[in-house]
Amino acid sequence: MSGRTEGGAKERGACQFKPTWCSVQSSPRPDSRVTAGIIALAAIAVLIGGAFVGLILEAARDPSGAVAAFDGYLLRVARFTLWQALLSTLLSVAPALLVARALSRHPSFPGRRLILQLFAVPLALPAIVAALGVLALYGHAGYFAGALGSLGGGEWPGIYGLSGILIAHVFFNLPLAARLFLEALGTVPADQWRLASQLGMGARPAFRLIEWPALRAALPGVAGLVFMLCITSFTIVLTLGGGPAATTLEVAIYQALRFDFDPARAVVLTLLQIGLTFVVVAALMRLGANTVGDANLPVAPRRYLSAGKAETVVNAGLIALALLFVAGPMAATVLAGLEADLGRLAGEEAVRRATLTSAALSFLSALLSVTLSLSLIAARRALALRRRAGSAMSLLEHATDTGAGFVLVVPPIVVGAGWFLALRGVTDVFAVAPAMVGAVNAVMAMPFAIRAVRPAYDAASERHERLCLALGIRGWNRLRLVDWPSLRRPLATGFAFAMALSLGDLGVIALFGSDSVQTLPYLLLARMSSYRTADAAGLALLLGLVCLTLVVAADWLGREAKA
């Protein structure tokens, strides 16, 4: 009895020392962070679920039409979608292995840091800008048309079709894969290299025993990521496909709604696209792949094995070829853009209106994206702190932890198609273009924003959580007084990256755009379709520079935040 009394006195003493903390633990009050997370999850569910409702209702309205859509055209489109994704993956990943190893073997290679920075540029370029750069270089009237025609013994026909799609996909994905493989090689312990040097190990055994195991472990995830990016490619195929023979599922969805207006076929194509994407994303998660495609490269490690002269020449050649392949379309975009009449373009009412529309929609989309992302991050942290040690995650905590990742299963064109079908009988679908573009782009940018903000929020919570509970600092006051100093730069990083993604996106606006609502990518596509290539090149230069500036700012802010 006395022991029980003594234990109770100790507990009361502890609670007298930390009254607020003990009261919170014994009778937790509703946390505004959890409420905000639930609202964010509801917003995502409405956006994605509304698209599915539109698809289901359309299929129920005309079931015979949906059944009839399973024809030879559907199988041909699905087969081409998988074929071009497979070829693009092989042509991107295989050279990336060699380039990454060459860069890893020569940490003091002249201009190595600049090359890696250049390899990050394709991640910042809108797909339509890169497509125009590829056309300016290899197209029928491109800079290389004369040389390529001479090699072929006739007039160069251009690269529309599978060849153009593959070149553009390799332009985007080879640098990404090389950076990810280089990151994997950077994880090899220095002790292994030191031991290899002491044993006098040559290049071949070093590759077989040290480098290849690291590359092999990263290979499935990198290849799966590139395959997913290619299987959901829309803008590249739309601009470089060149006809029905080179059409993927996403482009077929767009054509079924905007040109043929065949809702039944659009529903079947959309469901098939969702199924393929779901399988690929599930495989990526099982492999532990980095689904947002970000590679934060460490400082070049010290190498204890020196490369021989022959190996140095081969590696330098590989790096130079990769550099020329990546830099070529960028340089062609700049040169073609400078040849356009930029002054006249800047004075056009349509260009000014499209620029303002793009700026406004991308700003609102980025603001919504970081708001939803911060809500999910804060809710996940609050639920994790509330959970007892060793207990399983609740359904709500699991949803806040992985909810934003589900948007990777549903590409933007699929969400747009679902809402297009759901709204066409209710209102003018083109009148709701701003809301749809802003909402879809915001949700699609959330995985990137969460990646930028979550580590900083968790670190700040680790430092300040008990103090905030003890002082009763909650809600807006906590965000303003405690969290904001630590989150200011990470939030700016996520905001800039989300704004760049939204600014260059063509997926949703391709469905909902019209003469009254045009963004820069939509206007650029319209100028390309009307064969006003000089104007398109000028707009591509403007759009590419703005997006690149935003991503560079995001990268700089992210580095400052870590420092």
Side-chain angles (χ1 to χ4, degrees):
M1 186 74 178
S2 60
R4 217 179 277 156
T5 305
E6 182 181 354
K10 288 182 179 180
E11 292 179 1
R12 286 193 299 272
C15 286
Q16 287 174 1
F17 183 69
K18 295 181 179 178
T20 307
W21 171 253
C22 291
S23 63
V24 170
Q25 292 289 73
S26 59
S27 57
R29 292 179 293 172
D31 196 325
S32 58
R33 293 178 293 178
V34 177
T35 304
I38 293 174
I39 294 174
L41 286 173
I44 299 173
V46 168
L47 184 68
I48 306 298
F52 279 99
V53 168
L55 295 171
I56 293 171
L57 291 178
E58 187 61 39
R61 186 180 293 116
D62 187 14
S64 60
V67 174
F70 285 94
D71 54 11
Y73 172 77
L74 178 68
L75 296 177
R76 187 168 66 251
V77 170
R79 185 167 57 248
F80 181 80
T81 301
L82 295 172
W83 178 239
Q84 63 84 23
L86 179 61
L87 287 178
S88 298
T89 302
L90 290 174
L91 294 174
S92 300
V93 172
L97 282 167
L98 302 177
V99 173
R101 181 179 181 272
L103 288 169
S104 175
R105 292 282 288 174
H106 302 278
S108 59
F109 188 84
R112 184 181 188 272
R113 183 181 296 274
L114 181 62
I115 293 171
L116 292 176
Q117 291 175 347
L118 188 67
F119 276 12
V121 171
L123 297 175
L125 284 181
I128 193 168
V129 174
L132 204 64
V134 170
L135 284 176
L137 203 60
Y138 307 105
H140 177 70
Y143 295 110
F144 288 170
L148 293 172
S150 300
L151 291 175
E155 187 178 2
W156 175 244
I159 57 165
Y160 283 108
L162 179 60
S163 58
I165 294 171
L166 294 179
I167 290 174
H169 280 167
V170 175
F171 166 78
F172 273 110
N173 297 314
L174 187 152
L176 170 64
R179 287 170 60 89
L180 292 173
F181 282 134
L182 189 59
E183 185 181 36
L185 288 172
T187 62
V188 176
D191 291 343
Q192 293 189 16
W193 290 112
R194 190 180 297 109
L195 179 61
S197 176
Q198 293 172 354
L199 296 175
M201 190 176 292
R204 288 185 179 181
F207 174 76
R208 181 168 56 89
L209 298 175
I210 299 177
E211 294 171 323
W212 175 240
L215 293 172
R216 184 178 56 195
L219 181 59
V222 174
L225 173 61
V226 173
F227 187 83
M228 186 194 73
L229 295 174
C230 295
I231 206 174
T232 57
S233 177
F234 171 72
T235 305
I236 292 297
V237 182
L238 180 65
T239 53
L240 297 176
T247 299
T248 58
L249 288 169
E250 293 204 5
V251 175
I253 294 168
Y254 166 74
Q255 292 172 343
L257 291 177
R258 286 301 300 257
F259 296 110
D260 304 331
F261 197 72
D262 189 348
R265 183 175 295 278
V267 168
V268 174
L269 290 166
T270 302
L271 293 177
L272 183 56
Q273 176 68 35
I274 292 173
L276 288 176
T277 311
F278 179 81
V279 170
V280 175
V281 172
L284 280 175
M285 291 183 175
R286 186 174 183 83
L287 294 170
N290 177 5
T291 52
V292 298
D294 181 35
N296 296 314
L297 296 175
V299 177
R302 179 184 175 187
R303 285 286 182 234
Y304 295 90
L305 294 180
S306 59
K309 290 183 178 180
E311 184 187 0
T312 301
V313 171
V314 172
N315 289 338
L318 288 172
I319 295 172
L321 287 175
L323 180 61
L324 289 174
F325 183 83
V326 174
M330 300 180 197
T333 301
V334 174
L335 292 176
L338 293 176
E339 291 175 1
D341 191 349
L342 298 177
R344 179 182 56 80
L345 282 175
E348 287 188 17
E349 178 63 25
V351 175
R352 290 202 301 267
R353 188 167 62 246
T355 302
L356 291 175
T357 301
S358 293
L361 290 181
S362 60
F363 179 86
L364 294 175
S365 176
L367 184 62
L368 179 60
S369 181
V370 296
T371 301
L372 293 175
S373 300
L374 181 59
S375 299
L376 289 183
I377 293 168
R380 183 202 64 84
R381 179 65 178 170
L383 292 169
L385 291 172
R386 191 181 293 180
R387 174 166 42 94
R388 293 181 179 178
S391 61
M393 294 173 60
S394 65
L395 181 61
L396 180 59
E397 183 182 351
H398 188 72
T400 56
D401 187 37
T402 61
F406 287 110
V407 304
L408 298 173
V409 181
V410 190
I413 191 70
V414 170
V415 179
W419 279 101
F420 189 96
L421 295 172
L423 296 174
R424 68 186 183 93
V426 179
T427 184
D428 180 11
V429 292
F430 302 109
V432 298
M436 289 306 308
V437 171
V440 174
N441 287 341
V443 172
M444 293 303 163
M446 284 182 63
F448 298 92
I450 288 176
R451 184 179 180 86
V453 178
R454 179 167 163 176
Y457 186 90
D458 288 350
S461 175
E462 190 71 26
R463 293 193 302 268
H464 304 138
E465 193 70 36
R466 291 200 175 194
L467 179 62
C468 290
L469 287 172
L471 298 178
I473 304 176
R474 302 161 57 88
W476 173 251
N477 287 331
R478 170 172 176 163
L479 177 62
R480 180 173 59 90
L481 299 174
V482 179
D483 293 332
W484 176 250
S486 300
L487 299 180
R488 183 173 61 244
R489 286 189 177 274
L491 284 172
T493 300
F495 182 90
F497 210 99
M499 190 170 178
L501 290 176
S502 178
L503 194 65
D505 182 70
L506 185 62
V508 182
I509 194 64
L511 281 176
F512 288 89
S514 62
D515 292 338
S516 58
V517 180
Q518 293 184 338
T519 61
L520 278 176
Y522 187 88
L523 182 62
L524 201 162
L525 180 64
R527 297 292 170 91
M528 290 180 64
S529 302
S530 58
Y531 300 102
R532 299 171 63 178
T533 55
D535 288 358
L539 293 174
L541 179 60
L542 171 64
L543 182 60
L545 289 176
V546 173
C547 290
L548 183 60
T549 301
L550 286 171
V551 172
V552 169
D555 181 68
W556 177 77
L557 289 168
R559 293 177 188 275
E560 288 291 317
K562 292 177 183 179

